[in-house]
Amino acid sequence: MAVQFEQKTIDEFEGIAKRYPVRRAALLPALWLAQREFGWISEEAMVCVAKLVGVSPMQVMEVAGFYTMYQKNKPGKYHLQVCQTIACLLAGSEEIKKTIERVLDLKPGQTTPDGQFSYQTVECLASCHTAPCMQVNDDYHENLTPESTEKLIAELRKK
Amino acid sequence: MATELQLTKRYGVKDSYTLKVSLETGGYASLPKLFAMTPEQVVEEVKASSLKGRGGAGFPTGMKWSFVPKNTGKPVYLVVNADESEPGTFTDRYLLANDPHLLLEGIICASFAIGCHTSYIYIRGEFKQQFDRLNDAIVEAKKAGYLGKNIQGSGFDLEVYVHRGAGAYICGEETGLLESLEGKKGQPRIKPPFPAVQGLFACPTIVNNVKTIASVPWIISNGAKSYASIGTQESPGTHIFGLSGHVNQTGYWELPFGMPMMDFINNYGKGVKGKLKAVIPGGSSCPILTAKECEDLTLTYESMKAHGTMFGTGCAIIMNEHTDMAEVLKNLTHFYADESCGQCTPCREGTAWEDRLMKKILAGEATAKDLDLMLETADNMEGKTICVFASALAMPVRSFIKKFREDFEKRLIKNTVSVPETVS
Ligand SMILES: Cc1cc2nc3c(=O)[nH]c(=O)nc-3n(C[C@H](O)[C@H](O)[C@H](O)COP(=O)(O)O)c2cc1C
Ligand code: SF4
Ligand code: FES
């Protein structure tokens, strides 16, 4: 079944579209709305966004593909995004990656079979002074150690 | 006497991000003075302050504003660059979260100066909390008559919108950012035309960093002369300096320009964990410095330049004696190969080559020829691309290999070591 925006999302979008002299400029906001509503950006969601913004599905696909935060696969309930850039490397991000990979038996880009956790490596999260760090969904977790990482995963599991 | 804090004075104050606290602590106080001036006078004042852009290139802000053509009949846009993605950099994030009203006040000042009535803040997608705070701040400011029509009875109208990015380092480059703001892939544009003449929606556009804009209200309130009297002649004012990596205390501090780097590391960073080996002074794109080079380095644009590097973002990454520079450079080649927008062949191919060569070096499969090839590739990446992203990898590659050659040579297949370049 094709996905569809709720009316109140459409209204919200129309409000956002008015901020720009050109409707196409509201494409990134539309993709954010789609991700919020559908959980990820499937091809169906892209078609839906294309209709809403008034551009071709190809154009949406191209743009959605360019930006890493638009999830082209369904992420887990908790999406772990571990920074692997320079300051985090110096502070031990390799250990954090190993911990996640061991505890959840995941490789970057994978999701646990129960759909609870997905895992991805990302580039500098602008939290280099509290390295190593990761984002879980929208929240930052900083000054990580292998122990605190394991504890965090255990807590999320219980939620 | 300690210098007055201009950018961080509300940090740590409870609910500092609300309009109420902002107003109680001098928020929006620059506006009466602003509206008593003409836009031209504001541009002149900012020029006289010698404020330099904090986004990395250090371009004089007042001069940039003066490039906006007059009376084109087109709208003028101010776009605030809140993409903050340069590896090692983390200070815009706190300004946005702690004091969104200071940024809005700066946006009003800058917009008035350049004749802008619609301004966009382009914020990196990961900053969801800051995105929400900014949106709340805009609603509050608008309700209280600090945004919208006829701001504080001045007759000046301004709308501010926040536009959320979605994960792409290159959108920090100002023309990539404008493309992204127009709903496209964030691929930088060929310049000229420069954004000041033809930017967002083909209209005159000024792009400025968060801290640049947040510095303006103080200048308007206190005057260019007072601003220029802080710091050094070429680097006036204050900046939020950061430290990450191997120091005992990482963090950020607002300080006047001019402090010796070693004092900064020792007094604010509580010293290096171990022995200092290297410093990347202002984000990963800046050429790396040896411990020796840091001895007489100061936190200024001019000293960084004199040492063959750049001020960049003012956030330094500190590395101790146990750091393997080959591993660090591999981390950077991976980043740049991953983040190249792919438009220019020398950049797309060059960054990928550098990364492959580093992989070979780390695997212990490289010869001295590969090291030379890295330098050659770096040369071929520069000056032939649409934006300076390619140089942002070429410069680290050259400086790492030149200054820390032994870290690379010890991983080469034996007996293939070429004559090392002299290290000055
Ligand atoms: C690859 C690349 C990434 C950049 N990223 C940022 C960034 O995240 N934030 C920023 O303010 N400027 C960034 N810049 C600099 C901008 O292009 C631009 O010079 C700056 O926003 C202008 O503002 P300023 O004059 O206030 O410094 C980047 C430049 C390049 C080449
Ligand atoms: S230099 Fe690289 S990042 Fe810049 S436009 Fe060319 S391909 Fe894109
Ligand atoms: S390097 Fe990881 S947050 Fe900056």
Side-chain angles (χ1 to χ4, degrees):
Chain A
M1 203 197 75
V3 294
Q4 242 173 352
F5 280 118
E6 283 181 33
Q7 187 56 44
K8 67 173 195 299
T9 311
I10 296 174
D11 296 342
E12 186 179 344
F13 174 76
E14 291 305 333
I16 292 170
K18 282 204 200 87
R19 300 172 178 178
Y20 309 93
V22 177
R23 197 173 166 89
R24 160 145 202 190
L27 179 50
L28 266 67
L31 282 162
W32 277 120
L33 290 178
Q35 184 147 304
R36 188 183 76 191
E37 191 143 320
F38 311 131
W40 60 295
I41 305 293
S42 62
E43 280 187 27
E44 285 180 327
M46 291 187 206
V47 173
C48 217
V49 166
K51 244 190 357 220
L52 185 67
V53 181
V55 295
S56 73
M58 261 316 288
Q59 284 173 315
V60 177
M61 211 174 282
E62 214 184 61
V63 170
F66 186 82
Y67 297 94
T68 55
M69 289 185 78
Y70 296 130
Q71 301 297 327
K72 269 70 76 178
N73 295 298
K74 192 170 183 233
K77 183 174 170 202
Y78 301 107
H79 186 48
L80 313 182
Q81 304 149 80
V82 182
C83 175
Q84 59 172 0
T85 315
I86 180 163
C88 287
L89 174 82
L90 295 174
S93 57
E94 286 305 310
E95 290 306 307
I96 307 305
K97 279 158 65 178
K98 273 189 212 143
T99 305
I100 293 173
E101 289 169 19
R102 173 176 55 79
V103 174
L104 291 173
D105 193 21
L106 288 179
K107 289 204 173 61
Q110 293 182 338
T111 308
T112 52
D114 63 2
Q116 284 293 102
F117 293 95
S118 50
Y119 160 56
Q120 192 185 342
T121 52
V122 295
E123 303 300 343
C124 183
L125 287 170
S127 202
C128 320
H129 61 317
T130 59
C133 63
M134 73 166 151
Q135 238 185 326
V136 179
N137 301 343
D138 290 335
D139 299 327
Y140 275 71
H141 296 270
E142 303 166 38
N143 299 310
L144 295 169
T145 61
E147 296 73 42
S148 72
T149 306
E150 237 185 296
K151 204 169 140 222
L152 175 68
I153 292 172
E155 278 163 15
L156 293 173
R157 245 194 201 128
K158 270 188 257 153
K159 269 201 200 164
Chain B
M1 200 185 80
T3 309
E4 182 192 340
L5 296 178
Q6 303 175 12
L7 301 168
T8 59
K9 69 172 180 183
R10 295 190 187 91
Y11 287 30
V13 176
K14 191 173 176 296
D15 299 333
S16 62
Y17 51 87
T18 61
L19 180 65
K20 184 171 172 283
V21 172
S22 173
L23 290 175
E24 282 166 6
T25 51
Y28 296 96
S30 66
L31 297 193
K33 226 166 160 191
L34 177 80
F35 293 131
M37 296 164 86
T38 64
E40 292 72 25
Q41 285 172 330
V42 179
V43 174
E44 286 310 313
E45 196 70 20
V46 173
K47 252 192 202 167
S49 76
S50 299
L51 170 66
K52 288 189 165 80
R54 307 295 192 227
F59 194 85
T61 306
M63 198 196 294
K64 190 191 264 190
W65 292 2
S66 70
F67 294 156
V68 174
K70 297 257 167 339
N71 309 318
T72 57
K74 290 182 182 174
V76 175
Y77 294 108
L78 173 71
V79 175
V80 177
N81 190 340
D83 196 52
E84 185 160 71
S85 330
E86 173 78 2
T89 306
F90 48 85
T91 57
D92 290 345
R93 182 181 155 204
Y94 292 97
L95 203 147
L96 297 165
N98 291 334
D99 204 349
H101 286 287
L102 177 64
L103 181 63
L104 293 179
E105 187 179 346
I107 291 174
I108 298 168
C109 297
S111 297
F112 180 74
I114 63 170
C116 153
H117 302 287
T118 309
S119 172
Y120 299 96
I121 302 168
Y122 185 100
I123 188 169
R124 71 177 287 183
E126 289 83 352
F127 289 174
K128 180 61 168 49
Q129 182 205 14
Q130 289 79 352
F131 175 72
D132 292 340
R133 286 242 168 115
L134 276 170
N135 278 317
D136 291 347
I138 289 169
V139 170
E140 276 188 310
K142 205 168 164 176
K143 233 190 229 158
Y146 290 102
L147 289 177
K149 291 239 172 297
N150 189 18
I151 294 172
Q152 301 297 302
S154 64
F156 180 66
D157 305 338
L158 176 66
E159 296 293 341
V160 180
Y161 303 116
V162 195
H163 187 95
R164 190 174 174 206
Y169 168 67
I170 197 60
C171 291
E173 195 279 341
E174 59 184 5
T175 59
L177 185 151
L178 295 177
E179 286 288 300
S180 180
L181 194 40
E182 290 183 6
K184 301 173 197 157
K185 293 191 282 185
Q187 292 184 318
R189 298 174 181 169
I190 297 172
K191 281 153 277 187
F194 288 95
V197 177
Q198 192 177 325
L200 188 62
F201 309 119
C203 297
T205 303
I206 291 297
V207 182
N208 273 136
N209 170 261
V210 168
K211 290 184 293 289
T212 311
I213 293 296
S215 299
V216 176
W218 197 94
I219 295 170
I220 301 301
S221 292
N222 299 275
K225 260 210 194 111
S226 310
Y227 193 80
S229 73
I230 304 164
T232 70
Q233 194 175 356
E234 281 179 65
S235 308
T238 68
H239 185 63
I240 309 173
F241 295 91
L243 282 174
S244 68
H246 299 143
V247 284
N248 288 309
Q249 186 169 314
T250 54
Y252 56 85
W253 300 270
E254 182 182 356
L255 300 166
F257 283 89
M259 181 177 290
M261 175 63 94
M262 291 317 299
D263 287 357
F264 181 48
I265 292 175
N266 290 325
N267 299 341
Y268 290 85
K270 303 262 159 70
V272 181
K273 277 185 192 160
K275 203 167 146 246
L276 182 64
K277 179 167 180 176
V279 172
I280 300 178
S284 64
S285 308
C286 301
I288 194 166
L289 298 171
T290 60
K292 182 138 194 8
E293 286 173 306
C294 290
E295 282 172 9
D296 62 345
L297 183 73
T298 62
L299 302 179
T300 58
Y301 291 93
E302 59 273 21
S303 178
M304 296 291 174
K305 197 166 158 215
H307 285 76
T309 186
M310 301 181 303
F311 181 77
T313 61
C315 280
I317 306 166
I318 311 301
M319 285 163 266
N320 69 14
E321 70 213 294
H322 305 299
T323 314
D324 179 349
M325 291 303 159
E327 255 180 55
V328 176
L329 187 59
K330 171 71 178 79
N331 187 272
L332 294 185
T333 58
H334 170 86
F335 175 83
Y336 288 89
D338 224 39
E339 298 289 341
S340 166
C341 87
Q343 283 190 101
C344 319
T345 310
C347 174
R348 186 184 61 242
E349 300 294 322
T351 52
W353 260 107
E354 299 290 26
D355 194 42
R356 271 198 301 271
L357 287 167
M358 273 316 304
K359 193 168 168 196
K360 201 171 162 191
I361 290 173
L362 288 201
E365 292 163 0
T367 65
K369 264 204 191 123
D370 293 305
L371 217 46
D372 295 339
L373 189 54
M374 283 196 75
L375 294 170
E376 218 174 282
T377 307
D379 289 341
N380 286 330
M381 281 162 68
E382 276 192 296
K384 304 175 186 76
T385 53
I386 292 173
C387 85
V388 297
F389 174 95
S391 308
L393 178 59
M395 290 185 292
V397 164
R398 268 200 298 265
S399 61
F400 269 71
I401 296 178
K402 182 172 172 213
K403 295 176 187 177
F404 300 98
R405 199 171 175 106
E406 58 291 356
D407 280 20
F408 295 85
E409 282 182 339
K410 70 178 180 216
R411 290 175 172 271
L412 300 179
I413 298 171
K414 288 229 163 52
N415 301 326
T416 60
V417 175
S418 67
V419 183
E421 275 183 54
T422 46
V423 179
S424 54

